[in-house]
Amino acid sequence: MERSRNARAGELTEVQRIEVASGAPFREIGMTLVADMPPLPVEALAAGQRAGRLWVATDPADRPIAFVLADLVDGAAHVQQLSVDPAYARRGIGRRLLDRVAEWASSQGLPALTLTTFRSVPWNGPYYVRCGFRELSGTELTAGLIELLAAEAALGLDPAERIAMRRPVPRTGAGSGQPVDRGRDPCHDRAVPAPVNTLLRRQFDLTWALAEYHLDRLEPADFLWEPGRLCWTMRPGPDGGWRPDWADTEPDPVPVPTIAWLTWHIGWWWSVAADHVRRRPARERDDIRWPGPGDDTVVWLRELRTEWTDALDGLTADDLDRPAAYPWPADAGLTVADLAAWVNAELMKNVAEIGQLRLLRAAGRPT
């Protein structure tokens, strides 16, 4: 059976291939305009991938065979594109990807999924009805959905056949996997806490949204900028790589870290955290290679983000209760859930430091 996970940056052209292949059935019913439409641009897919809104279903060899891309439209999770390779059609893969989007929407506190599609094409409107969607009409159509339908008509799609649909996103009770109406316990009329992994993922997504805000705006010269006389930074090493300033005992006064040092620091502790969660030998500090000032480091951090969310999404309740020996001693009595919560807090702290440095440098540049 296939599994689903967040898409990786190197899989975007494969995602495009799947979308093109999924258009072939439209040719068989005479809708050549749809069949010949180009896939979503790599830039749009990359933005979704970085934001954690692009998921793939994979075969046993971990190769993508289907994908779904979500966006935010008028306060709902909008299914921008759902495509399944025709070789894997009619196996429930699309439905399970929609459920994955619904889980994400629930974690974000979003009330519904929306989409636009063809009313009469069997694998469009009727299919989505079976997946829990219903057609919207009249005043139910939000401004964003009206705008999307108008844009589709401008591309030549028949407006009489294009519809917008909506599917509610129920709140989920802790550990049960069953919907609980309005997030209440019907037996005791009290709020039901979300599962631990849902809370951890929601907190992480909030933190990563701040990270993306600053990563998107970093310039190469930001990385090695030193705001004071006493700074820790990354320096060229004898092997052609980069080496961090470091002391086993923190100096007094504490040096100000540069953005270069902070991005290396994130890469170091995050890589080791992922090693512990995945139960593989933990890397040493000197094993972590900083890519250098510029886009390569941003790509590296985004790849770590994808690796981390893949691991986090795969954790069961038993996994979260497993003892963890990082970043504290093994006898501290803390768990993988504590480790994941620490990652969220440490990432928020480091991202805030990066943002402050970036803003200080930008404010000090002459206009």
Side-chain angles (χ1 to χ4, degrees):
M1 184 176 176
E2 92 292 338
R3 62 181 290 264
S4 63
R5 57 169 171 76
N6 288 95
R8 297 166 183 153
E11 295 173 331
L12 302 186
T13 55
E14 183 63 10
V15 165
Q16 286 184 312
R17 182 202 67 77
I18 293 169
E19 184 178 355
V20 171
S22 70
F26 286 93
R27 193 179 309 281
E28 298 172 6
I29 61 172
M31 299 178 69
T32 56
L33 175 65
V34 178
D36 291 338
M37 281 186 168
L40 290 166
V42 167
E43 295 78 12
L45 294 171
Q49 188 270 333
R50 291 194 299 267
R53 294 184 280 100
L54 177 63
W55 296 267
V56 293
T58 60
D59 66 10
D62 202 35
R63 293 179 297 239
I65 56 175
F67 78 92
V68 62
L69 174 65
D71 202 351
L72 293 175
V73 174
D74 297 331
H78 185 75
V79 180
Q80 187 174 350
Q81 182 65 38
L82 172 66
S83 295
V84 179
D85 189 315
Y88 295 88
R90 298 181 177 85
R91 303 187 187 183
I93 297 173
R95 183 188 293 267
R96 287 188 285 275
L97 283 174
L98 289 172
D99 289 343
R100 185 69 182 263
V101 180
E103 291 172 4
W104 172 79
S106 178
S107 75
Q108 302 300 302
L110 303 175
L113 307 186
T114 60
L115 55 82
T116 60
T117 191
F118 287 102
R119 173 184 284 109
S120 304
V121 174
W123 57 89
N124 280 200
Y127 168 77
Y128 289 118
V129 168
R130 296 194 299 273
C131 292
F133 288 80
R134 67 175 184 86
E135 181 178 348
L136 300 177
S137 61
T139 58
E140 292 181 311
L141 290 169
T142 65
L145 293 174
I146 292 172
E147 184 177 344
L148 287 173
L149 290 169
E152 293 168 354
L155 293 174
L157 302 184
D158 183 359
E161 272 295 303
R162 294 298 290 179
I163 58 173
M165 306 186 78
R166 181 182 176 94
R167 166 178 155 179
V169 173
R171 298 284 294 274
T172 303
S176 69
Q178 298 299 317
V180 178
D181 185 33
R182 298 179 184 173
R184 312 293 295 183
D185 181 338
C187 297
H188 303 287
D189 192 29
R190 60 180 175 80
V192 177
V196 171
N197 57 344
T198 298
L199 289 173
L200 289 169
R201 180 58 189 270
R202 186 182 301 163
Q203 187 182 55
F204 173 83
D205 287 342
L206 176 64
T207 301
W208 188 252
L210 176 63
E212 280 293 345
Y213 177 83
H214 292 300
L215 292 177
D216 272 344
R217 292 161 176 79
L218 283 179
E219 300 176 3
D222 291 334
F223 285 84
L224 295 171
W225 177 67
E226 298 188 10
R229 287 180 296 176
L230 180 61
C231 290
W232 268 358
T233 190
M234 302 297 293
R235 306 186 189 278
D239 59 353
W242 295 84
R243 299 183 64 83
D245 290 331
W246 186 259
D248 290 328
T249 301
E250 188 173 72
D252 184 17
V254 177
V256 177
T258 64
I259 291 176
W261 193 92
L262 286 166
T263 53
W264 162 80
H265 183 62
I266 292 172
W268 167 40
W269 62 251
W270 210 356
S271 297
V272 177
D275 290 339
H276 279 267
V277 168
R278 292 188 178 276
R279 299 188 182 188
R280 61 193 182 199
R283 283 163 279 188
E284 299 295 332
R285 185 178 69 247
D286 291 341
D287 295 332
I288 305 304
R289 309 294 291 179
W290 187 67
D295 289 343
D296 287 347
T297 287
V298 173
V299 170
W300 177 51
L301 293 178
R302 285 171 174 158
E303 289 173 347
L304 286 171
R305 177 255 171 212
T306 299
E307 180 185 7
W308 180 251
T309 54
D310 281 353
L312 193 62
D313 290 346
L315 294 176
T316 66
D318 288 341
D319 291 328
L320 290 168
D321 286 339
R322 196 176 71 233
Y326 180 82
W328 36 71
D331 59 359
L334 298 174
T335 67
V336 170
D338 293 300
L339 167 56
W342 174 83
V343 165
N344 291 341
E346 187 72 6
L347 183 61
M348 178 63 81
K349 176 177 77 72
N350 288 162
V351 166
E353 291 169 326
I354 289 171
Q356 187 73 1
L357 288 167
R358 185 187 69 80
L359 293 171
L360 283 171
R361 181 171 182 271
R365 289 199 300 266
T367 57

